[in-house]
Amino acid sequence: MITTEMTFDELAALMKKAAGITVDPRELEQASDSPFDSFGLDSLGLLGIVGELENRHGRSLPPDSERCRTPREFLDLVNSTLTAGA
């Protein structure tokens, strides 16, 4: 069960694990409205992150998840989806 929201630290860790991209979580948070591609993350990498989250939490994320353009948009969508069922 999800009781806390996903953070920029967790997103940065997932970017490293699922897409092999290292980004400082503070930089990710400060530039959270910048497009994912400015951090080197493409749509395939984001799809890997979505898959990792779905496996980790045992539930599907909305189809829009892999179409999010920015870290803030992605975290808002993920957090609203995961906490809705908590």
Side-chain angles (χ1 to χ4, degrees):
M1 185 178 302
I2 309 305
T3 56
T4 60
E5 291 189 336
M6 186 175 168
T7 65
F8 287 99
D9 287 333
E10 292 170 288
L11 180 55
L14 280 170
M15 288 172 73
K16 175 70 173 169
K17 180 177 182 180
I21 294 169
T22 302
V23 61
D24 184 309
R26 287 164 296 287
E27 179 186 336
L28 194 62
E29 186 170 9
Q30 289 170 349
S32 62
D33 291 319
S34 297
F36 272 120
D37 62 4
S38 69
F39 298 101
L41 185 70
D42 61 11
S43 59
L44 190 58
L46 189 56
L47 189 58
I49 291 171
V50 169
E52 179 66 29
L53 283 170
E54 289 177 339
N55 289 337
R56 183 180 293 179
H57 297 292
R59 56 189 299 195
S60 295
L61 293 175
D64 298 357
S65 302
E66 68 266 7
R67 286 187 231 131
C68 289
R69 300 272 184 225
T70 68
R72 181 174 312 283
E73 182 183 357
F74 183 73
L75 285 180
D76 287 348
L77 179 66
V78 168
N79 286 331
S80 65
T81 301
L82 295 180
T83 58

